[in-house]
Protein backbone atom coordinates (compact mmCIF):
# COMPACT_ATOMS: atom_id res chain seq x y z
CA UNK A 1 0.00 0.00 0.00
CA UNK A 2 2.78 2.43 0.89
CA UNK A 3 4.62 1.74 -2.36
CA UNK A 4 1.54 2.17 -4.55
CA UNK A 5 0.52 5.37 -2.77
CA UNK A 6 4.05 6.75 -3.11
CA UNK A 7 4.14 5.80 -6.79
CA UNK A 8 0.80 7.49 -7.43
CA UNK A 9 1.94 10.63 -5.63
CA UNK A 10 5.25 10.69 -7.50
CA UNK A 11 3.57 10.18 -10.87
CA UNK A 12 0.99 12.87 -10.09
CA UNK A 13 3.76 15.34 -9.23
CA UNK A 14 5.63 14.48 -12.44
CA UNK A 15 2.44 14.91 -14.46
CA UNK A 16 1.72 18.32 -12.91
CA UNK A 17 5.29 19.48 -13.55
CA UNK A 18 5.14 18.30 -17.16
CA UNK A 19 1.83 20.08 -17.76
CA UNK A 20 3.04 23.31 -16.13
CA UNK A 21 6.34 23.28 -18.06
CA UNK A 22 4.37 22.65 -21.26
CA UNK A 23 6.36 19.53 -22.14
CA UNK A 24 3.01 17.73 -22.25
CA UNK A 25 -0.33 19.34 -22.97
CA UNK A 26 -3.43 18.89 -20.84
CA UNK A 27 -5.25 16.68 -23.39
CA UNK A 28 -2.57 13.96 -23.61
CA UNK A 29 -2.11 14.12 -19.82
CA UNK A 30 -5.82 13.43 -19.30
CA UNK A 31 -5.68 10.56 -21.81
CA UNK A 32 -2.66 9.07 -20.00
CA UNK A 33 -4.40 9.34 -16.61
CA UNK A 34 -7.59 7.76 -17.94
CA UNK A 35 -5.56 4.97 -19.55
CA UNK A 36 -4.05 4.23 -16.13
CA UNK A 37 -7.48 4.05 -14.53
CA UNK A 38 -8.77 1.70 -17.22
CA UNK A 39 -5.70 -0.55 -17.01
CA UNK A 40 -6.24 -0.76 -13.24
CA UNK A 41 -9.68 -2.27 -13.83
CA UNK A 42 -8.49 -4.99 -16.24
CA UNK A 43 -6.97 -8.42 -15.67
CA UNK A 44 -3.57 -6.89 -16.39
CA UNK A 45 -3.56 -4.88 -13.12
CA UNK A 46 -2.14 -7.65 -10.88
CA UNK A 47 0.71 -8.24 -13.33
CA UNK A 48 1.56 -4.55 -13.44
CA UNK A 49 1.38 -4.40 -9.65
CA UNK A 50 3.70 -7.41 -9.26
CA UNK A 51 6.17 -5.90 -11.74
CA UNK A 52 6.26 -2.56 -9.94
CA UNK A 53 6.60 -4.27 -6.55
CA UNK A 54 9.51 -6.38 -7.77
CA UNK A 55 11.11 -3.30 -9.35
CA UNK A 56 10.77 -1.39 -6.07
CA UNK A 57 12.26 -4.34 -4.15
CA UNK A 58 15.18 -4.51 -6.57
CA UNK A 59 15.85 -0.79 -6.25
CA UNK A 60 15.58 -1.08 -2.47
CA UNK A 61 18.26 -3.81 -2.42
CA UNK A 62 20.82 -1.65 -4.25
CA UNK A 63 23.45 -0.43 -1.83
CA UNK A 64 25.46 2.62 -2.82
Amino acid sequence: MVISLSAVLLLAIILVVMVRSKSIKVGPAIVAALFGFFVASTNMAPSVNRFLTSLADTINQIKL
Side-chain angles (χ1 to χ4, degrees):
M1 176 69 178
V2 173
I3 292 174
S4 64
L5 184 61
S6 298
V8 168
L9 183 62
L10 177 65
L11 291 173
I13 290 169
I14 291 171
L15 188 60
V16 167
V17 169
M18 289 179 74
V19 168
R20 293 187 123 224
S21 68
K22 298 200 188 321
S23 50
I24 187 172
K25 295 187 185 214
V26 176
I30 291 171
V31 170
L34 289 174
F35 176 73
F37 283 117
F38 285 120
V39 168
S41 65
T42 65
N43 291 335
M44 200 166 77
S47 299
V48 172
N49 194 10
R50 278 193 303 270
F51 170 73
L52 291 176
T53 302
S54 66
L55 182 65
D57 290 341
T58 302
I59 291 171
N60 193 29
Q61 291 176 358
I62 296 175
K63 298 195 188 325
L64 300 175

